[in-house]
Amino acid sequence: MAVPVIEAWAPREIVTARKLNAQIRDPLRYRSDPPRLSCRGAVPGQSVTRGQQLFIRWATTGQGGTWFTVPDTGVYVVHGSVTVKAGSVQSPGGDGVILNIYRRSASGQLTSLAMAREIAQQPGDYEIVSTVTLVHLTAGDAIAAAVYLESGTPNSSYAIQAGEWETVLGAWMAAPGAAALSGEATPFVPAGDWSNQERITSQHMDTRITQPMRSLLNPPRVVLRTPLPYSAASGQATRVRWNASGMEQSGGWSLARDGSTVTVPADGVYLVALCMAVERDGPEGPFGSYQMNLARNGAVVAVHQRQNTRSGYPASITATDTLFLRRGETLGVEFLGTGSGLNWRGFGADISDERWNLVAAVNLASGSSGMGG
């Protein structure tokens, strides 16, 4: 079913079954059963050769499909994860494994939506690479996941793990009423009560049905894609700051003057996602980890940690969280590195055709007053 177009009600309008179905039934059905994709488990026997990229074939389709066509236009949460079993690894730093989620337009143009890199250190061991994004997709676009194994020696391949919990690609419609990722969101209007014997006007129908429905289909959302350069020694916490030119928002989000936080425009339960790339400088070795932590109103509310074992080489961290945020609260990202004699810095801010970094949020429950209900 296509995204319903919700029209306004007119004075003295004759309310027909067709209009009730179109204005009430169809939007409710769509919102409660949105377009989604869940590919869980790759076709067995796939491997990625050093210095090459492999588009993953998925067992979910039954025919080993790679590309999946977007059914309806809107804003989607898209995520992917690949598990590989290492062959021989480069010494001493290990191998970089990159996961990339691509969009293919109807004209055939390929665009990177999100990417991440992890470092495999041990031969015969397993490495998991994950990434996530919030993106506007057009009906007829297609998405796919590809994995790349860093070039170098020894010449070996990595096996893609086929278990349904090991390699996944998913998408879920978060804003079917959005014409773009940026633009105008529809302000939330709570549905009012009906009263016996009241005279029903077109204004009642709009404020109690049409406007609440439109707001559920077009919620507030924001994406920051371009971090400003930053560096920090181990043990030194620093706030990631963002370039306003890389911000897309709908609903009235505002970026702080120093770029370190965005201000929430409306109450609600938000899905917050981040994917960040960090480069390590200093001696190579296993003793170097880093955190990307979500901060609400300046206080850390979620901690996420990964390792980077190679010097002068970026690795990624990906995370999602669900937070209740009030209008006027701020959301930001704090970085903290560990390890003796190391320095850390952001990576990928000036690469236009690769999506290494983002922090994003979309309102999933505009009428909520907290995480309890």
Side-chain angles (χ1 to χ4, degrees):
M1 181 172 68
V3 178
V5 177
I6 305 177
E7 301 173 357
W9 299 83
R12 301 178 183 272
E13 177 179 7
I14 297 175
V15 179
T16 64
R18 183 204 65 80
K19 186 75 179 276
L20 290 171
N21 286 336
Q23 299 301 97
I24 301 175
R25 182 201 64 183
D26 291 350
L28 285 173
R29 284 183 174 178
Y30 195 95
R31 191 67 179 87
S32 62
D33 191 18
R36 56 201 178 273
L37 170 71
S38 180
C39 299
R40 306 192 65 83
V43 170
Q46 297 180 83
S47 62
V48 56
T49 302
R50 188 178 296 282
Q52 297 184 14
Q53 180 170 253
L54 171 75
F55 280 86
I56 298 172
R57 293 181 292 117
W58 299 93
T60 307
T61 64
Q63 299 177 344
T66 298
W67 289 93
F68 298 90
T69 302
V70 177
D72 292 331
T73 298
V75 173
Y76 288 79
V77 178
V78 182
H79 63 92
S81 184
V82 61
T83 303
V84 296
K85 184 176 182 181
S88 300
V89 301
Q90 297 185 78
S91 179
D95 289 330
V97 183
I98 293 177
L99 173 65
N100 209 326
I101 298 178
Y102 286 103
R103 168 174 52 198
R104 185 180 65 194
S105 68
S107 65
Q109 181 180 1
L110 247 60
T111 305
S112 170
L113 297 180
M115 62 192 306
R117 175 193 272 139
E118 289 287 355
I119 301 170
Q121 288 184 271
Q122 302 297 327
D125 205 354
Y126 298 92
E127 193 64 46
I128 303 171
V129 191
S130 302
T131 189
V132 64
T133 189
L134 183 71
V135 63
H136 187 270
L137 299 174
T138 302
D141 288 348
I143 61 173
V147 60
Y148 174 84
L149 177 60
E150 179 186 15
S151 59
T153 57
N155 187 17
S156 65
S157 61
Y158 281 21
I160 308 299
Q161 300 305 287
E164 65 176 26
W165 64 93
E166 294 175 303
T167 301
V168 301
L169 174 64
W172 178 78
M173 172 79 88
L181 204 153
S182 57
E184 293 296 324
T186 305
F188 177 70
V189 177
D193 296 332
W194 300 92
S195 302
N196 291 330
Q197 299 181 347
E198 74 175 314
R199 182 174 177 269
I200 304 302
T201 66
S202 59
Q203 183 180 10
H204 288 138
M205 300 295 278
D206 282 335
T207 58
R208 297 177 188 178
I209 298 174
T210 300
Q211 292 180 27
M213 205 80 71
R214 284 176 175 172
S215 69
L216 292 176
L217 296 179
N218 191 25
R221 54 201 178 268
V222 66
V223 176
L224 300 168
R225 300 191 188 277
T226 311
L228 295 171
Y230 65 91
S231 64
S234 290
Q236 176 187 341
T238 186
R239 291 292 168 87
V240 178
R241 291 172 168 79
W242 302 85
N243 193 323
S245 65
M247 177 179 176
E248 295 180 84
Q249 67 87 24
S250 180
W253 300 77
S254 60
L255 184 64
R257 182 173 297 181
D258 68 354
S260 64
T261 61
V262 288
T263 300
V264 179
D267 293 1
V269 175
Y270 286 82
L271 175 69
V272 183
L274 66 82
C275 189
M276 307 287 294
V278 178
E279 189 168 324
R280 162 182 168 163
D281 294 325
E284 290 190 342
F287 304 109
S289 62
Y290 62 98
Q291 297 176 1
M292 283 291 180
N293 305 324
L294 286 174
R296 178 177 57 196
N297 301 328
V300 171
V301 292
V303 177
H304 303 280
Q305 181 168 305
R306 299 293 285 174
Q307 253 199 349
N308 186 339
T309 58
R310 294 185 61 170
S311 179
Y313 196 79
S316 302
I317 193 166
T318 299
T320 58
D321 284 283
T322 306
L323 297 173
F324 176 75
L325 300 172
R326 294 191 183 278
R327 178 183 179 184
E329 292 191 316
T330 61
L331 191 66
V333 178
E334 180 186 274
F335 170 80
L336 177 66
T338 69
S340 178
L342 301 180
N343 195 75
W344 303 84
R345 54 193 171 96
F347 175 81
D350 299 320
I351 300 176
S352 60
D353 59 345
E354 296 181 351
R355 297 289 194 177
W356 286 96
N357 299 281
L358 91 153
V359 61
V362 59
N363 196 333
L364 302 181
S366 301
S368 60
S369 58
M371 288 301 291

